[in-house]
Amino acid sequence: MEEMEEELKCPVCGSFYREPIILPCSHNLCQACARNILVQTPESESPQSRRASGSGVSDYDYLDLDKMSLYSEADSGYGSYGGFASAPTTPCQKSPNGVRVFPPAMPPPPTHLSPALAPVPRNSCITCPQCHRSLILDDRGLRGFPKNRVLEGVIDRYQQSKAAALKCQLCEKAPKEATVMCEQCDVFYCDPCRLRCHPPRGPLAKHRLVPPAQGRVSRRLSPRKVSTCTDHELENHSMYCVQCKMPVCYQCLEEGKHSSHEVKALGAMWKLHKSQLSQALNGLSDRAKEAKEFLVQLRTMVQQIQENSVEFEACLVAQCDALIDALNRRKAQLLARVNKEHEHKLKVVRDQISHCTVKLRQTTGLMEYCLEVIKENDPSGFLQISDALIRRVHLTEDQWGKGTLTPRMTTDFDLSLDNSPLLQSIHQLDFVQVKASSPVPATPILQLEECCTHNNSATLSWKQPPLSTVAADGYILELDDGSGGQFREVYVGKETMCTVDGLHFNSTYNARVKAFNKTGVSPYSKTLVLQTSEDTDSEEQTLPFPVPSERLPLRRMSPFSSTLNLQPSFPGRSYFDFRSSPHQLSLHSSLQSLNAPGCNFETQSASYSQLVAWFAFDPGSAHSDIIFSNDNLTVTCSSYDDRVVLGKTGFSKGVHYWELTIDRYDNHPDPAFGVARIDVMKDMMLGKDDKAWAMYVDNNRSWFMHNNSHTNRTEGGITKGATIGVLLDLNRKTLTFFVNNEQQGPIAFENVEGLFFPAVSLNRNVQVTLHTGLPVPDFYSSRASIA
């Protein structure tokens, strides 16, 4: 109701309408406000002069807009009436509602009459403040305009709904809150005033007292004053003139004012126009609903813009940081080369200094020795050594020959760094292409009439909204794990229908879908709750593998008929591959997190359930010494120490069986097989910590090991070509091992629960190959069925 308030306010005074009148242009004005904006026109423009000249055809003559320049083209805020010698130029004003109105050219004469009865200046003109259409009043003045009783009633109801608690109408000073209302007296009373002024005796005892709220309602429902004819004030409206589009009384018809017009009953036209207004409101309501949805979309866009801005800024910072890191690495490399050149130069110069120093010391010693020899006075002794000394002096002098006293290395660095191409590239660094601004798709609508469940399968269908103009490149369907956990993607593609098999029986799943295109992703649809079948013993729910494709009559399409690989995106995305043939329908799953509690893919056989899953070893979590081959199905090791490798798929429910064949077995090593947590130690034998449950075996015997505790030594080992079977029964919480299709020892471990991954530990003397998607051994199936 608050949004309607502007419709109930006068464009002149800005307050709620008081005695509103209807102008011929269908707009409303307070009667007092209409009188305030009257303008007197020249005599030549009066209706009487027009009738006298034969040009008048209506009681209300609109002025020629060419003669009345209300606003200039520049819209300066001032308007004037042109062509009138007696009409002064009057500046326009603005009402509280922001609508321009024209004050009267002269103040109205003082009068003690009501605005409706006060005389109107002759040749008065009134201009609608909303559409700016002007008309000249006739002799009736403002009384010639019909009163809008409907608008008065709407205002009364609105003000009553906005009013505070109803007050007593008989309290003299501060009115107290009313406690009752008398329907006959139409008065609200508080308790003291009711006892004083309305005692329950005499004639007042028959009056009906009701609570104030009920009295307010009865007031609203009480008949209002019937609208009377503007020409005949004592007559009520009884008919409706279709040409004039106004209600009339029977006296107007008798006078012949509407003799040639089509006249209909007032009640019939009232119902017809109400119906037309209701139909028009339906269309307007649809537009308003679309506008609200559009506002929600815009607010979502604001959030998406903020998120995209943060993401883009982070990406830009990362790219710039990568450039800076690359530059720093190159800087370090160049500095290393400079340091290398520096060390080389110093080494050459220092070697030359050392060599010259030694040679100079020898030369100086020879010179000093020769000088001392020259001082001797013994001729015969001198001549005995003089020839040898002369030869040594000449030889030493020759050693100081050309080039000896020349530096072997210059002090300048013969390196020059050309950074101009890099600087130019930095200056030219810019966004290659600005992504075109296009809207994201609209939110898809789930088609409930086409969504259904059958046994442990669910079929979902969706579509784009009818008024959507943005194309979607594809859709993303998400399901939770059946236990109220997180949503995970199960389908991405262009199709609008998808069947998901292998859900849990007697489980409740939540599904939702969103659309995407190159710009972004739409908001999620409403969440749909799906309940799978409760009865797991019926023949229709028995889906052993292989299963003929004709056994699935509810499969309207196969959205996974082509490989849908979402694994590389982020943990938790799935890979499904439904392969249809005349003989077999297989479900491949390498989803790690969808096998978390409550989200295994099961088939039912009588009362015994088994999960048939295909998986491989996981290079991402394995020890770095593990060597993979054969599409990650075959592993060995490069180290003599034991190293651990896990499977890609984790299990938390159901019965699972897989086998490993020994491809190579040298020097009698002790490989270990079993299950482990995701955080098991990878650099020691499986079972040495508390994160793994394993059987390790050599060529003669085997042991079970958990937390470095060895139990149940069992005779019988392995050789090349042997087969190790691992049976994880999470329904009974047991782990059992097989060697060459025979159970190895008793049940290895009991009370195992949680999330487990297939695991193997081996060294370079062993190579094994994994085989998955296998049925449980027959004797165990029959034993489990009996149990």
Side-chain angles (χ1 to χ4, degrees):
M1 296 268 304
E2 294 181 358
E3 298 175 354
M4 183 183 65
E5 186 169 316
E6 291 301 321
E7 293 286 336
L8 309 181
K9 291 185 177 180
C10 174
V12 177
C13 64
S15 303
F16 288 109
Y17 287 104
R18 294 184 295 275
E19 298 182 353
I21 58 175
I22 306 174
L23 301 180
C25 59
S26 299
H27 293 127
N28 300 284
L29 283 177
C30 297
Q31 197 170 53
C33 296
R35 184 176 183 84
N36 290 337
I37 63 174
L38 290 176
V39 176
Q40 192 170 0
T41 60
E43 187 70 24
S44 60
E45 300 293 334
S46 67
Q48 293 82 356
S49 62
R50 291 190 178 188
R51 294 193 187 97
S53 62
S55 61
V57 295
S58 172
D59 290 342
Y60 296 103
D61 299 316
Y62 282 106
L63 296 179
D64 188 351
L65 293 181
D66 291 337
K67 294 182 179 180
M68 183 171 287
S69 177
L70 296 180
Y71 297 101
S72 67
E73 293 183 1
D75 193 11
S76 62
Y78 289 87
S80 62
Y81 296 100
F84 300 137
S86 61
T89 300
T90 308
C92 71
Q93 300 175 349
K94 284 189 177 181
S95 73
N97 281 4
V99 180
R100 289 187 174 89
V101 297
F102 291 86
M106 58 187 67
T111 176
H112 299 288
L113 300 176
S114 65
L117 301 177
V120 175
R122 187 178 180 184
N123 303 333
S124 295
C125 166
I126 188 171
T127 300
C128 176
Q130 292 180 283
C131 65
H132 308 299
R133 297 179 67 179
S134 300
L135 56 95
I136 299 176
L137 276 63
D138 59 7
D139 294 337
R140 294 174 297 172
L142 296 178
R143 289 181 293 120
F145 298 118
K147 294 183 179 180
N148 196 337
R149 303 290 184 186
V150 174
L151 181 58
E152 281 186 308
V154 173
I155 293 174
D156 289 343
R157 290 196 298 271
Y158 179 77
Q159 289 179 329
Q160 289 175 6
S161 66
K162 297 286 288 183
L166 295 173
K167 301 295 183 180
C168 177
Q169 294 177 283
L170 297 181
C171 291
E172 296 182 356
K173 294 183 179 180
K176 299 179 181 179
E177 186 174 345
T179 57
V180 295
M181 173 200 173
C182 178
E183 289 187 338
Q184 285 71 27
C185 301
D186 195 19
V187 175
F188 289 94
Y189 297 95
C190 64
D191 288 337
C193 293
R194 177 179 59 81
L195 295 175
R196 185 178 67 254
C197 304
H198 200 287
R201 59 180 179 272
L204 298 179
K206 298 181 180 181
H207 287 197
R208 184 167 179 259
L209 301 178
V210 296
Q214 183 179 347
R216 172 187 286 179
V217 174
S218 62
R219 270 191 172 184
R220 295 180 187 175
L221 299 179
S222 62
R224 293 187 170 275
K225 182 179 179 181
V226 179
S227 174
T228 58
C229 179
T230 55
D231 294 331
H232 312 92
E233 296 183 354
L234 299 179
E235 300 294 336
N236 297 333
H237 291 137
S238 58
M239 305 296 290
Y240 183 82
C241 179
V242 178
Q243 276 76 11
C244 299
K245 296 183 178 180
M246 61 181 295
V248 296
C249 66
Y250 80 95
Q251 192 169 345
C252 292
L253 300 178
E254 290 180 354
E255 292 176 356
K257 290 185 179 180
H258 306 272
S259 57
S260 60
H261 296 176
E262 181 182 1
V263 179
K264 293 187 178 181
L266 187 66
M269 293 304 296
W270 174 55
K271 294 181 180 178
L272 176 62
H273 281 214
K274 271 195 172 184
S275 174
Q276 293 176 351
L277 180 59
S278 298
Q279 293 177 359
L281 282 177
N282 289 334
L284 185 59
S285 176
D286 293 339
R287 301 289 85 77
K289 183 178 179 181
E290 293 174 5
K292 291 181 179 178
E293 295 176 351
F294 180 65
L295 287 175
V296 173
Q297 180 181 354
L298 291 179
R299 294 188 180 100
T300 305
M301 288 181 62
V302 170
Q303 182 179 358
Q304 290 178 346
I305 289 173
Q306 293 175 345
E307 293 175 354
N308 291 341
S309 174
V310 173
E311 181 180 356
F312 186 77
E313 287 179 4
C315 181
L316 179 61
V317 170
Q319 288 178 312
C320 292
D321 289 343
L323 292 176
I324 295 173
D325 292 341
L327 185 61
N328 286 331
R329 288 193 298 270
R330 189 57 180 168
K331 172 186 174 182
Q333 294 172 358
L334 295 176
L335 287 175
R337 288 182 57 186
V338 172
N339 291 334
K340 184 177 180 181
E341 183 69 15
H342 169 252
E343 295 296 333
H344 174 66
K345 285 180 176 293
L346 289 180
K347 184 176 182 304
V348 171
V349 174
R350 286 169 179 168
D351 289 346
Q352 190 174 12
I353 290 174
S354 177
H355 181 266
C356 289
T357 301
V358 173
K359 197 170 185 61
L360 180 59
R361 185 183 301 112
Q362 294 173 351
T363 302
T364 304
L366 179 59
M367 291 173 59
E368 292 179 352
Y369 176 67
C370 292
L371 291 177
E372 291 299 325
V373 170
I374 292 174
K375 294 179 180 179
E376 289 296 328
N377 296 323
D378 185 3
S380 60
F382 177 81
L383 291 175
Q384 288 179 350
I385 62 174
S386 60
D387 291 334
L389 288 176
I390 292 172
R391 285 194 303 271
R392 286 184 62 191
V393 169
H394 286 301
L395 181 60
T396 301
E397 184 180 0
D398 292 339
Q399 291 177 353
W400 291 100
K402 186 176 181 181
T404 305
L405 300 179
T406 302
R408 299 177 186 174
M409 185 63 63
T410 62
T411 58
D412 298 330
F413 283 78
D414 298 329
L415 299 174
S416 179
L417 180 63
D418 184 11
N419 61 351
S420 56
L422 180 59
L423 289 175
Q424 184 177 1
S425 298
I426 293 176
H427 293 152
Q428 294 176 352
L429 185 63
D430 201 351
F431 302 106
V432 177
Q433 181 181 1
V434 179
K435 184 166 61 175
S437 177
S438 58
V440 298
T443 303
I445 300 175
L446 285 167
Q447 302 188 86
L448 302 183
E449 66 278 3
E450 297 188 21
C451 298
C452 61
T453 59
H454 178 71
N455 294 337
N456 62 338
S457 299
T459 298
L460 296 103
S461 178
W462 58 88
K463 65 178 181 179
Q464 281 291 100
L467 301 179
S468 175
T469 59
V470 181
D473 294 341
Y475 303 91
I476 301 174
L477 175 64
E478 296 183 357
L479 263 70
D480 67 357
D481 58 6
S483 302
Q486 293 183 352
F487 282 89
R488 297 173 177 87
E489 296 176 5
V490 297
Y491 172 68
V492 176
K494 295 183 178 180
E495 303 296 341
T496 58
M497 184 178 291
C498 171
T499 298
V500 182
D501 286 333
L503 303 175
H504 288 301
F505 284 97
N506 193 21
S507 298
T508 301
Y509 289 87
N510 295 307
R512 64 186 184 185
V513 65
K514 59 183 177 180
F516 66 87
N517 60 12
K518 295 180 179 179
T519 301
V521 181
S522 74
Y524 285 105
S525 66
K526 294 183 178 180
T527 301
L528 178 64
V529 180
L530 302 168
Q531 175 69 44
T532 54
S533 176
E534 296 182 1
D535 184 9
T536 61
D537 296 329
S538 65
E539 182 181 356
E540 286 296 322
Q541 294 166 339
T542 302
L543 296 176
F545 286 86
V547 57
S549 59
E550 54 267 18
R551 289 290 302 277
L552 299 176
L554 288 182
R555 182 174 298 285
R556 303 179 183 177
M557 58 163 293
S558 178
F560 310 110
S561 57
S562 60
T563 299
L564 173 62
N565 194 347
L566 300 180
Q567 184 70 19
S569 299
F570 57 86
R573 291 200 173 188
S574 60
Y575 166 74
F576 295 101
D577 183 12
F578 278 84
R579 300 176 181 174
S580 298
S581 69
H583 308 289
Q584 181 173 330
L585 177 67
S586 300
L587 170 63
H588 289 243
S589 172
S590 65
L591 176 62
Q592 172 176 313
S593 56
L594 271 182
N595 279 317
C599 203
N600 293 322
F601 294 89
E602 301 175 356
T603 60
Q604 302 295 324
S605 176
S607 62
Y608 174 70
S609 63
Q610 175 203 348
L611 172 68
V612 180
W614 281 255
F615 58 90
F617 288 116
D618 183 15
S621 62
H623 193 278
S624 58
D625 291 340
I626 297 293
I627 301 173
F628 294 85
S629 60
N630 189 24
D631 293 331
N632 297 333
L633 294 175
T634 301
V635 293
T636 184
C637 183
S638 61
S639 173
Y640 285 106
D641 296 323
D642 290 302
R643 301 295 187 236
V644 174
V645 57
L646 301 179
K648 276 190 175 180
T649 303
F651 303 111
S652 63
K653 286 187 178 181
V655 182
H656 316 273
Y657 179 73
W658 62 94
E659 291 181 348
L660 301 105
T661 56
I662 308 300
D663 301 330
R664 180 168 50 83
Y665 187 77
D666 302 328
N667 302 324
H668 310 302
D670 299 324
F673 310 89
V675 297
R677 307 290 190 192
I678 189 66
D679 55 347
V680 65
M681 298 295 293
K682 307 295 194 312
D683 56 354
M684 63 176 63
M685 179 184 287
L686 194 68
K688 283 188 173 292
D689 64 356
D690 61 348
K691 306 293 185 182
W693 293 256
M695 176 189 74
Y696 71 93
V697 57
D698 58 16
N699 59 324
N700 292 321
R701 61 192 64 84
S702 66
W703 292 264
F704 303 145
M705 184 166 62
H706 170 65
N707 200 15
N708 205 24
S709 174
H710 309 255
T711 60
N712 295 99
R713 170 177 167 173
T714 304
E715 296 299 322
I718 60 173
T719 60
K720 179 180 178 181
T723 300
I724 305 297
V726 182
L727 178 61
L728 177 62
D729 188 346
L730 291 170
N731 295 337
R732 304 174 64 186
K733 302 179 182 179
T734 61
L735 179 64
T736 308
F737 295 97
F738 299 83
V739 175
N740 295 328
N741 298 322
E742 296 291 336
Q743 183 170 336
Q744 185 77 353
I747 294 176
F749 300 100
E750 296 179 337
N751 299 321
V752 291
E753 54 184 340
L755 180 62
F756 299 96
F757 292 83
V760 175
S761 68
L762 43 74
N763 61 18
R764 64 182 302 167
N765 292 318
V766 185
Q767 177 176 301
V768 298
T769 297
L770 176 66
H771 304 276
T772 61
L774 303 177
V776 172
D778 294 335
F779 78 89
Y780 189 86
S781 300
S782 59
R783 187 174 65 185
S785 299
I786 295 174

